[in-house]
Amino acid sequence: MTAPDPSTVLRLDDISVADAAALLAGYDLVLEQVPAGAPIPGSYWGDPEAGIIGSTVYVRGDTPVHSMLHEACHLIVLPPERRAQVHTDATDSVPEEDATCYLQIVLAGQLPGVGSERLMADMDAWGYTYRLGSTKAWFEQDADDARQWLAERGLLPA
C-alpha cells in the first residue's frame, strides 16, 4: 500500500471560498482569508494551517480544507462564552476533540466540491491517526461517543 500524499489534499484555492464562508456563517463564524505568504493569525500548528481567534477562522489560499473545517468545528462545539475567549488553542478536552473531528466530516458533506469521503481521505493523507487505521473506519465504526456528544448538544445538522 502506498503512503498517502499530503500534497494532494484540497486547499481553499480548490473550492469556493464563498461557499465555505456561507457554511461557517450558519454557525455565527467569520471566515477571513489572509494574503498569500502572510502569517495566519491564531494558527496552532503554523502556516498553512487555519487559525482561530474568537469567532473568526483565518485561512490562506493554501490552507487545507480539512484544517479550515477542523478549526471551525472547534469553535462550533464550544458554548458562546468559551468561544469568545479562544485564541489559537480551543480545547484540551478529548470529547470535544473527537466531536470536532466528527463534525468536520459531516460538514464537509455540505460543502460543494468537498464531501465527506474526500475529507476523510485528506485527513488520512495529512496524518490524522485513529486506532482503527483510517478516518473512515473511525467515523463509521468507532465514533458513537462523538456522535452522541454532538447530538446531546443539538450540533448535528439535520
Side-chain angles (χ1 to χ4, degrees), residues 80-138:
E81 64 277 5
R82 282 188 52 212
R83 183 188 291 184
Q85 299 170 359
V86 169
H87 191 301
T88 308
D89 190 6
T91 188
D92 5 344
S93 161
V94 171
E96 285 179 6
E97 185 67 36
D98 290 348
T100 293
C101 289
Y102 191 91
L103 187 57
Q104 81 185 84
I105 295 165
V106 171
L107 293 186
Q110 297 181 354
L111 194 53
V114 182
S116 298
E117 293 288 329
R118 174 59 192 262
L119 192 84
M120 288 186 282
D122 283 0
M123 290 168 72
D124 289 343
W126 201 255
Y128 287 66
T129 58
Y130 297 95
R131 65 179 170 219
L132 296 182
S134 74
T135 304
K136 185 174 182 171
W138 170 77

Side-chain angles (χ1 to χ4, degrees), residues 10-93:
L10 282 176
R11 309 285 175 150
L12 264 286
D13 280 345
D14 298 325
I15 68 167
S16 164
V17 175
D19 287 343
L23 178 65
L24 271 55
Y27 293 92
D28 296 323
L29 300 177
V30 174
L31 183 64
E32 185 166 322
Q33 192 166 8
V34 300
I40 299 174
S43 179
Y44 182 83
W45 297 107
D47 303 336
E49 298 276 355
I52 49 175
I53 300 173
S55 294
T56 302
V57 179
Y58 294 90
V59 296
R60 290 191 316 220
D62 64 339
T63 297
V65 173
H66 68 80
S67 177
M68 180 268 303
L69 285 172
H70 186 85
E71 297 306 322
C73 289
H74 267 302
L75 296 176
I76 292 167
V77 304
L78 292 177
E81 64 277 5
R82 282 188 52 212
R83 183 188 291 184
Q85 299 170 359
V86 169
H87 191 301
T88 308
D89 190 6
T91 188
D92 5 344
S93 161

